[in-house]
Amino acid sequence: MAERPAPRAVSFLTVAEVAAIMRVSKMTVYRLVHGGEMAAVRVGRSFRVPETAVREYLSEARTDVA
């Protein structure tokens, strides 16, 4: 019998928590989610953003200034 890998725990953040981490408004986070720039799942009437999606967005959005 083949062993299944153990499920990975995913940490989800609220829109308010993401906004606080990124130091932007909640509306900015909603725009990123609705625009497809940041992954999120809908839970009832609210959104939850995987912590990994926030890290990925921030790493891709980083620009180097000369």
Side-chain angles (χ1 to χ4, degrees):
M1 182 180 235
E3 275 190 44
R4 284 192 205 178
R8 294 184 350 204
V10 179
S11 178
F12 289 95
L13 303 170
T14 64
V15 169
E17 290 171 331
V18 174
I21 290 168
M22 295 176 60
R23 295 185 183 212
V24 297
S25 70
K26 290 191 299 184
M27 186 54 66
T28 300
V29 177
Y30 282 119
R31 283 188 194 115
L32 293 170
V33 169
H34 287 293
E37 297 180 56
M38 184 178 293
V41 293
R42 191 166 191 136
V43 179
R45 294 181 64 198
S46 62
F47 286 95
R48 295 293 186 266
V49 181
E51 191 175 354
T52 56
V54 177
R55 278 192 257 121
E56 287 173 10
Y57 178 80
L58 290 174
S59 67
E60 291 173 6
R62 183 175 294 146
T63 58
D64 293 328
V65 179

